Amino acid sequence: IDLNAPSVYRDLSKPMGAIGEGRAEQFRERFEALAAYSNDPDDPPPFHYGTHYSCSGYVLYYLMRLEPYSRLALALQGGRFDKADRLFRSVSSSWRSASEENLQDVRELIPEFFYLPEFLSNSNYFDFGSTQSGVLVHDVELPPWAKGDPRKFVMINRMALESDHVSRNLHKWIDLIFGY
């Protein structure tokens, strides 16, 4: 991966729901439809996103392989881990869900992506089950450039976070998330 190439970075001036123009248009259409049908003052106001970019469920989604988060994830799901197809099992599929495929998914990364490789390995050997296609969920599948190494993955993420490109653009993301 070439961290000097701007194309490897997401546009930090846009929320996850606006990463692609097609996806952004779908959210605009939702807002306009809700606005058009909202006649009762007791109706909720129109919105772009039906969920927040960060919540405890998203944190548990990413950290379910680590205690005490695994116990909290179990409690959230009534004593069992969620269905294997809905668990965090692949960085690339999670990225596609949040950036392209799923209008209910606008989650951001959590800080652990930049300093804690242990959250990617199932060192406690939890039984997360198998997906509908028969794939056993265990360690998180990493992008090819990480070569299967969680430490390398986190190190490169950290290098990207500390890159000149992110340093020049991070204020845009901070303004989106926290306002200005």
Side-chain angles (χ1 to χ4, degrees), residues 2 8 10 28 33 35-36 42 50 67 92 96-97 115 118 127 133 137 142 153 157 166:
D2 181 2
V8 303
R10 77 168 249 214
R28 281 192 294 273
D42 292 331
E67 288 290 2
S92 64
R96 282 192 312 275
S97 175
Y115 77 91
E118 290 80 8
D127 181 2
S133 60
V137 177
L142 302 173
F153 174 78
N157 277 349
V166 172

PDB file of all heavy atoms in Angstrom, residues 2 8 10 28 33 35-36 42 50 67 92 96-97 115 118 127 133 137 142 153 157 166:
ATOM      1  N   ASP A   2       0.569   2.197  -0.827  1.00  0.00           N
ATOM      2  CA  ASP A   2       1.361   3.420  -0.943  1.00  0.00           C
ATOM      3  C   ASP A   2       0.674   4.542  -0.161  1.00  0.00           C
ATOM      4  O   ASP A   2      -0.294   5.135  -0.636  1.00  0.00           O
ATOM      5  CB  ASP A   2       1.498   3.806  -2.417  1.00  0.00           C
ATOM      6  CG  ASP A   2       2.324   5.062  -2.629  1.00  0.00           C
ATOM      7  OD1 ASP A   2       2.846   5.631  -1.634  1.00  0.00           O
ATOM      8  OD2 ASP A   2       2.440   5.498  -3.788  1.00  0.00           O
ATOM      9  N   VAL A   8      -5.587   6.261  -1.581  1.00  0.00           N
ATOM     10  CA  VAL A   8      -5.779   5.217  -0.570  1.00  0.00           C
ATOM     11  C   VAL A   8      -6.552   5.739   0.643  1.00  0.00           C
ATOM     12  O   VAL A   8      -6.916   4.949   1.519  1.00  0.00           O
ATOM     13  CB  VAL A   8      -4.451   4.566  -0.106  1.00  0.00           C
ATOM     14  CG1 VAL A   8      -3.687   3.988  -1.279  1.00  0.00           C
ATOM     15  CG2 VAL A   8      -3.609   5.509   0.699  1.00  0.00           C
ATOM     16  N   ARG A  10      -9.812   7.863   2.458  1.00  0.00           N
ATOM     17  CA  ARG A  10     -11.185   8.301   2.247  1.00  0.00           C
ATOM     18  C   ARG A  10     -11.233   9.817   2.325  1.00  0.00           C
ATOM     19  O   ARG A  10     -10.336  10.450   2.873  1.00  0.00           O
ATOM     20  CB  ARG A  10     -12.123   7.676   3.263  1.00  0.00           C
ATOM     21  CG  ARG A  10     -12.063   8.324   4.635  1.00  0.00           C
ATOM     22  CD  ARG A  10     -13.199   7.865   5.495  1.00  0.00           C
ATOM     23  NE  ARG A  10     -14.131   8.949   5.724  1.00  0.00           N
ATOM     24  CZ  ARG A  10     -14.801   9.108   6.853  1.00  0.00           C
ATOM     25  NH1 ARG A  10     -14.670   8.250   7.825  1.00  0.00           N
ATOM     26  NH2 ARG A  10     -15.623  10.105   6.990  1.00  0.00           N
ATOM     27  N   ARG A  28     -30.033  11.627   0.508  1.00  0.00           N
ATOM     28  CA  ARG A  28     -30.765  12.868   0.207  1.00  0.00           C
ATOM     29  C   ARG A  28     -32.212  12.560  -0.143  1.00  0.00           C
ATOM     30  O   ARG A  28     -33.135  13.252   0.301  1.00  0.00           O
ATOM     31  CB  ARG A  28     -30.078  13.627  -0.937  1.00  0.00           C
ATOM     32  CG  ARG A  28     -28.855  14.406  -0.512  1.00  0.00           C
ATOM     33  CD  ARG A  28     -28.373  15.372  -1.599  1.00  0.00           C
ATOM     34  NE  ARG A  28     -27.877  14.692  -2.784  1.00  0.00           N
ATOM     35  CZ  ARG A  28     -26.611  14.278  -2.929  1.00  0.00           C
ATOM     36  NH1 ARG A  28     -25.725  14.479  -1.971  1.00  0.00           N
ATOM     37  NH2 ARG A  28     -26.234  13.685  -4.043  1.00  0.00           N
ATOM     38  N   ALA A  33     -37.993  12.593   1.066  1.00  0.00           N
ATOM     39  CA  ALA A  33     -39.235  11.824   1.207  1.00  0.00           C
ATOM     40  C   ALA A  33     -39.815  11.995   2.600  1.00  0.00           C
ATOM     41  O   ALA A  33     -41.028  12.191   2.757  1.00  0.00           O
ATOM     42  CB  ALA A  33     -38.982  10.345   0.904  1.00  0.00           C
ATOM     43  N   ALA A  35     -39.335  14.526   4.575  1.00  0.00           N
ATOM     44  CA  ALA A  35     -39.791  15.914   4.682  1.00  0.00           C
ATOM     45  C   ALA A  35     -41.139  16.093   3.986  1.00  0.00           C
ATOM     46  O   ALA A  35     -42.021  16.805   4.484  1.00  0.00           O
ATOM     47  CB  ALA A  35     -38.748  16.853   4.090  1.00  0.00           C
ATOM     48  N   ALA A  36     -41.332  15.440   2.852  1.00  0.00           N
ATOM     49  CA  ALA A  36     -42.568  15.581   2.087  1.00  0.00           C
ATOM     50  C   ALA A  36     -43.767  14.957   2.808  1.00  0.00           C
ATOM     51  O   ALA A  36     -44.892  15.427   2.658  1.00  0.00           O
ATOM     52  CB  ALA A  36     -42.402  14.945   0.708  1.00  0.00           C
ATOM     53  N   ASP A  42     -46.028  16.209  15.565  1.00  0.00           N
ATOM     54  CA  ASP A  42     -45.527  15.175  16.480  1.00  0.00           C
ATOM     55  C   ASP A  42     -44.632  14.159  15.770  1.00  0.00           C
ATOM     56  O   ASP A  42     -44.000  13.328  16.411  1.00  0.00           O
ATOM     57  CB  ASP A  42     -46.684  14.444  17.152  1.00  0.00           C
ATOM     58  CG  ASP A  42     -47.436  15.346  18.121  1.00  0.00           C
ATOM     59  OD1 ASP A  42     -46.814  16.269  18.671  1.00  0.00           O
ATOM     60  OD2 ASP A  42     -48.650  15.112  18.316  1.00  0.00           O
ATOM     61  N   GLY A  50     -30.425   7.095   9.885  1.00  0.00           N
ATOM     62  CA  GLY A  50     -31.265   6.558  10.938  1.00  0.00           C
ATOM     63  C   GLY A  50     -30.478   5.985  12.091  1.00  0.00           C
ATOM     64  O   GLY A  50     -31.044   5.390  13.002  1.00  0.00           O
ATOM     65  N   GLU A  67     -12.061  -9.351  26.131  1.00  0.00           N
ATOM     66  CA  GLU A  67     -12.774  -9.093  27.382  1.00  0.00           C
ATOM     67  C   GLU A  67     -12.453  -7.670  27.829  1.00  0.00           C
ATOM     68  O   GLU A  67     -11.357  -7.195  27.579  1.00  0.00           O
ATOM     69  CB  GLU A  67     -12.326 -10.080  28.465  1.00  0.00           C
ATOM     70  CG  GLU A  67     -12.822 -11.482  28.244  1.00  0.00           C
ATOM     71  CD  GLU A  67     -14.321 -11.640  28.450  1.00  0.00           C
ATOM     72  OE1 GLU A  67     -15.021 -10.639  28.734  1.00  0.00           O
ATOM     73  OE2 GLU A  67     -14.796 -12.759  28.300  1.00  0.00           O
ATOM     74  N   SER A  92     -12.414  -5.771   4.910  1.00  0.00           N
ATOM     75  CA  SER A  92     -12.938  -5.319   3.620  1.00  0.00           C
ATOM     76  C   SER A  92     -14.459  -5.372   3.569  1.00  0.00           C
ATOM     77  O   SER A  92     -15.094  -4.446   3.051  1.00  0.00           O
ATOM     78  CB  SER A  92     -12.317  -6.113   2.461  1.00  0.00           C
ATOM     79  OG  SER A  92     -12.677  -7.462   2.549  1.00  0.00           O
ATOM     80  N   ARG A  96     -16.944  -2.149   3.046  1.00  0.00           N
ATOM     81  CA  ARG A  96     -17.969  -2.093   1.990  1.00  0.00           C
ATOM     82  C   ARG A  96     -19.347  -1.812   2.577  1.00  0.00           C
ATOM     83  O   ARG A  96     -20.121  -1.031   2.027  1.00  0.00           O
ATOM     84  CB  ARG A  96     -17.986  -3.389   1.175  1.00  0.00           C
ATOM     85  CG  ARG A  96     -16.866  -3.490   0.163  1.00  0.00           C
ATOM     86  CD  ARG A  96     -17.062  -4.640  -0.823  1.00  0.00           C
ATOM     87  NE  ARG A  96     -17.398  -5.898  -0.191  1.00  0.00           N
ATOM     88  CZ  ARG A  96     -16.504  -6.761   0.308  1.00  0.00           C
ATOM     89  NH1 ARG A  96     -15.210  -6.495   0.226  1.00  0.00           N
ATOM     90  NH2 ARG A  96     -16.897  -7.884   0.863  1.00  0.00           N
ATOM     91  N   SER A  97     -19.645  -2.439   3.698  1.00  0.00           N
ATOM     92  CA  SER A  97     -20.941  -2.213   4.341  1.00  0.00           C
ATOM     93  C   SER A  97     -21.105  -0.752   4.739  1.00  0.00           C
ATOM     94  O   SER A  97     -22.138  -0.140   4.465  1.00  0.00           O
ATOM     95  CB  SER A  97     -21.070  -3.110   5.581  1.00  0.00           C
ATOM     96  OG  SER A  97     -22.273  -2.828   6.268  1.00  0.00           O
ATOM     97  N   TYR A 115      -3.941   1.328  17.385  1.00  0.00           N
ATOM     98  CA  TYR A 115      -2.955   1.014  18.427  1.00  0.00           C
ATOM     99  C   TYR A 115      -3.079  -0.375  19.053  1.00  0.00           C
ATOM    100  O   TYR A 115      -2.193  -0.784  19.798  1.00  0.00           O
ATOM    101  CB  TYR A 115      -3.006   2.055  19.559  1.00  0.00           C
ATOM    102  CG  TYR A 115      -4.159   1.891  20.528  1.00  0.00           C
ATOM    103  CD1 TYR A 115      -4.032   1.124  21.675  1.00  0.00           C
ATOM    104  CD2 TYR A 115      -5.381   2.499  20.288  1.00  0.00           C
ATOM    105  CE1 TYR A 115      -5.088   0.962  22.551  1.00  0.00           C
ATOM    106  CE2 TYR A 115      -6.435   2.355  21.158  1.00  0.00           C
ATOM    107  CZ  TYR A 115      -6.284   1.577  22.290  1.00  0.00           C
ATOM    108  OH  TYR A 115      -7.338   1.430  23.151  1.00  0.00           O
ATOM    109  N   GLU A 118      -4.526  -6.646  19.134  1.00  0.00           N
ATOM    110  CA  GLU A 118      -5.155  -7.798  19.791  1.00  0.00           C
ATOM    111  C   GLU A 118      -6.657  -7.895  19.514  1.00  0.00           C
ATOM    112  O   GLU A 118      -7.223  -8.988  19.571  1.00  0.00           O
ATOM    113  CB  GLU A 118      -4.905  -7.748  21.308  1.00  0.00           C
ATOM    114  CG  GLU A 118      -3.474  -8.002  21.708  1.00  0.00           C
ATOM    115  CD  GLU A 118      -2.552  -6.779  21.556  1.00  0.00           C
ATOM    116  OE1 GLU A 118      -3.053  -5.663  21.280  1.00  0.00           O
ATOM    117  OE2 GLU A 118      -1.328  -6.944  21.726  1.00  0.00           O
ATOM    118  N   ASP A 127     -16.478 -19.134  20.370  1.00  0.00           N
ATOM    119  CA  ASP A 127     -17.180 -19.792  19.275  1.00  0.00           C
ATOM    120  C   ASP A 127     -18.157 -18.795  18.672  1.00  0.00           C
ATOM    121  O   ASP A 127     -19.233 -18.552  19.225  1.00  0.00           O
ATOM    122  CB  ASP A 127     -17.919 -21.028  19.788  1.00  0.00           C
ATOM    123  CG  ASP A 127     -18.656 -21.780  18.687  1.00  0.00           C
ATOM    124  OD1 ASP A 127     -18.567 -21.381  17.503  1.00  0.00           O
ATOM    125  OD2 ASP A 127     -19.335 -22.769  19.022  1.00  0.00           O
ATOM    126  N   SER A 133     -22.581 -19.276   4.412  1.00  0.00           N
ATOM    127  CA  SER A 133     -21.807 -19.944   3.357  1.00  0.00           C
ATOM    128  C   SER A 133     -20.798 -20.941   3.931  1.00  0.00           C
ATOM    129  O   SER A 133     -19.988 -21.495   3.199  1.00  0.00           O
ATOM    130  CB  SER A 133     -21.094 -18.905   2.485  1.00  0.00           C
ATOM    131  OG  SER A 133     -20.210 -18.131   3.270  1.00  0.00           O
ATOM    132  N   VAL A 137     -16.072 -18.163  11.629  1.00  0.00           N
ATOM    133  CA  VAL A 137     -15.659 -16.834  12.084  1.00  0.00           C
ATOM    134  C   VAL A 137     -14.702 -17.021  13.254  1.00  0.00           C
ATOM    135  O   VAL A 137     -15.056 -17.632  14.269  1.00  0.00           O
ATOM    136  CB  VAL A 137     -16.878 -15.974  12.501  1.00  0.00           C
ATOM    137  CG1 VAL A 137     -16.418 -14.635  13.048  1.00  0.00           C
ATOM    138  CG2 VAL A 137     -17.823 -15.785  11.330  1.00  0.00           C
ATOM    139  N   LEU A 142      -7.867  -9.740   7.283  1.00  0.00           N
ATOM    140  CA  LEU A 142      -7.206  -8.451   7.048  1.00  0.00           C
ATOM    141  C   LEU A 142      -6.994  -8.212   5.554  1.00  0.00           C
ATOM    142  O   LEU A 142      -6.993  -9.153   4.764  1.00  0.00           O
ATOM    143  CB  LEU A 142      -5.861  -8.427   7.780  1.00  0.00           C
ATOM    144  CG  LEU A 142      -5.951  -8.652   9.293  1.00  0.00           C
ATOM    145  CD1 LEU A 142      -4.554  -8.773   9.895  1.00  0.00           C
ATOM    146  CD2 LEU A 142      -6.744  -7.553   9.961  1.00  0.00           C
ATOM    147  N   PHE A 153      -1.010  -4.597  10.303  1.00  0.00           N
ATOM    148  CA  PHE A 153      -2.223  -3.872   9.948  1.00  0.00           C
ATOM    149  C   PHE A 153      -2.363  -2.596  10.795  1.00  0.00           C
ATOM    150  O   PHE A 153      -2.565  -1.506  10.263  1.00  0.00           O
ATOM    151  CB  PHE A 153      -3.441  -4.778  10.138  1.00  0.00           C
ATOM    152  CG  PHE A 153      -4.751  -4.089   9.934  1.00  0.00           C
ATOM    153  CD1 PHE A 153      -5.224  -3.816   8.660  1.00  0.00           C
ATOM    154  CD2 PHE A 153      -5.526  -3.708  11.016  1.00  0.00           C
ATOM    155  CE1 PHE A 153      -6.443  -3.184   8.464  1.00  0.00           C
ATOM    156  CE2 PHE A 153      -6.744  -3.071  10.841  1.00  0.00           C
ATOM    157  CZ  PHE A 153      -7.197  -2.805   9.561  1.00  0.00           C
ATOM    158  N   ASN A 157      -2.011   1.320   9.666  1.00  0.00           N
ATOM    159  CA  ASN A 157      -3.107   2.254   9.952  1.00  0.00           C
ATOM    160  C   ASN A 157      -2.590   3.473  10.707  1.00  0.00           C
ATOM    161  O   ASN A 157      -2.981   4.605  10.433  1.00  0.00           O
ATOM    162  CB  ASN A 157      -4.197   1.584  10.785  1.00  0.00           C
ATOM    163  CG  ASN A 157      -5.159   0.784   9.965  1.00  0.00           C
ATOM    164  OD1 ASN A 157      -5.161   0.860   8.744  1.00  0.00           O
ATOM    165  ND2 ASN A 157      -5.993   0.016  10.630  1.00  0.00           N
ATOM    166  N   VAL A 166      -3.305  12.920   5.974  1.00  0.00           N
ATOM    167  CA  VAL A 166      -4.295  12.986   7.052  1.00  0.00           C
ATOM    168  C   VAL A 166      -4.061  14.229   7.898  1.00  0.00           C
ATOM    169  O   VAL A 166      -5.021  14.902   8.284  1.00  0.00           O
ATOM    170  CB  VAL A 166      -4.286  11.696   7.894  1.00  0.00           C
ATOM    171  CG1 VAL A 166      -5.170  11.834   9.133  1.00  0.00           C
ATOM    172  CG2 VAL A 166      -4.732  10.506   7.042  1.00  0.00           C
TER     173      VAL A 166
END
